[in-house]
Amino acid sequence: MIFTNGDSFTYGDELDKPHSEAWPYILAEKLNTKVANFGENNSDNERILQSTVDFFGTPDISMYKCAIVQWSTYMRFDTIPQDIVLNDNANTKEYLLDKYFVQVRIMQDFFDLRNIPYLMFNAFDNEKVIPNSISKFKDIIDTKYFIGWQDESVVNWVYGMPHKPKGHPGEEAHKRIAEIIYENIRRKLRIS
């Protein structure tokens, strides 16, 4: 099996049949396997990190070929401590971006310690700020298994393809996302 986690892009929001048309299910079909898709609408990176750690904290994870994690935007304001000056947009963005880099590294270390093959990528927004970031945490990311680091995301992969009314990728876009991830699984993880 494969494990996937992310936000509405991974869940398949706005698709008629998210449990068959979203990229995790298309990818599983390409790999001739099953998927445990933990994608959830409106997920922030804290939920993505914690639910992945909880899932792989169970004793028997040997049946999983790999984990694929789609990070949400770093700009989620729901987990900002009160000591961060919220009316100072620069401080808020810096705090959230630093937090994002640390979350990615924590998950990478978690997978590495458990010998779980993984791939990661961004959904949207992060690719706009990471290249110009001067965060001291930016360099802690291991880019080897991060698809498109630092300036790509799902929105770049499916730019110009049909989207749903609220902006989520359509059926053809999900097929394209699955194809890109599949090629990276074959090339980087050597799984087919």
Side-chain angles (χ1 to χ4, degrees):
M1 291 184 72
I2 58 171
F3 170 87
T4 59
N5 204 348
D7 60 19
S8 57
F9 283 62
T10 297
Y11 170 76
D13 194 22
E14 294 189 85
L15 293 173
D16 292 336
K17 302 174 190 168
H19 298 294
S20 63
E21 295 176 340
W23 69 260
Y25 302 96
I26 299 168
L27 180 64
E29 189 174 305
K30 286 178 154 307
L31 292 168
N32 195 29
T33 191
K34 294 181 180 180
V35 62
N37 183 11
F38 275 54
E40 188 175 292
N41 290 340
N42 298 317
S43 281
D44 64 11
N45 290 327
E46 190 64 37
R47 191 216 59 92
I48 293 167
L49 172 64
Q50 193 57 55
S51 61
T52 301
V53 168
D54 290 348
F55 179 84
F56 282 103
T58 59
D60 187 20
I61 57 169
S62 59
M63 70 175 99
Y64 288 89
K65 290 183 178 187
C66 64
I68 300 126
V69 176
Q70 170 254 296
W71 293 100
S72 189
T73 178
Y74 79 102
M75 286 296 291
R76 298 276 183 178
F77 290 96
D78 47 356
T79 57
I80 302 173
Q82 290 186 349
D83 60 337
I84 301 297
V85 181
L86 293 179
N87 60 2
D88 182 346
N89 203 25
N91 281 344
T92 303
K93 286 182 178 181
E94 182 179 323
Y95 169 81
L96 291 171
L97 197 55
D98 287 349
K99 181 177 179 180
Y100 163 75
F101 291 136
V102 171
Q103 288 169 323
V104 170
R105 187 65 226 191
I106 288 170
M107 192 175 296
Q108 289 179 325
D109 289 343
F110 178 83
F111 286 144
D112 288 341
L113 286 170
R114 286 158 183 77
N115 295 314
I116 300 168
Y118 70 89
L119 289 175
M120 298 178 173
F121 61 95
N122 286 311
F124 61 98
D125 284 346
N126 300 347
E127 82 283 0
K128 296 174 185 172
V129 296
I130 293 171
N132 299 320
S133 170
I134 57 171
S135 170
K136 61 185 175 186
F137 297 109
K138 180 180 173 181
D139 293 333
I140 67 174
I141 305 299
D142 181 354
T143 62
K144 184 175 182 181
Y145 300 113
F146 204 114
I147 305 171
W149 183 267
Q150 59 190 346
D151 52 5
E152 283 184 23
S153 68
V154 168
V155 295
N156 304 115
W157 301 347
V158 297
Y159 182 76
M161 297 184 84
H163 283 66
K164 296 296 186 174
K166 291 190 274 180
H168 291 95
E171 292 83 359
E172 290 303 312
H174 274 272
K175 289 177 185 175
R176 177 73 181 128
I177 294 164
E179 185 63 37
I180 290 169
I181 297 168
Y182 177 71
E183 289 304 319
N184 276 275
I185 287 174
R186 291 181 59 209
R187 190 175 69 249
K188 293 182 179 192
L189 301 181
R190 306 208 186 284
I191 296 172
S192 58

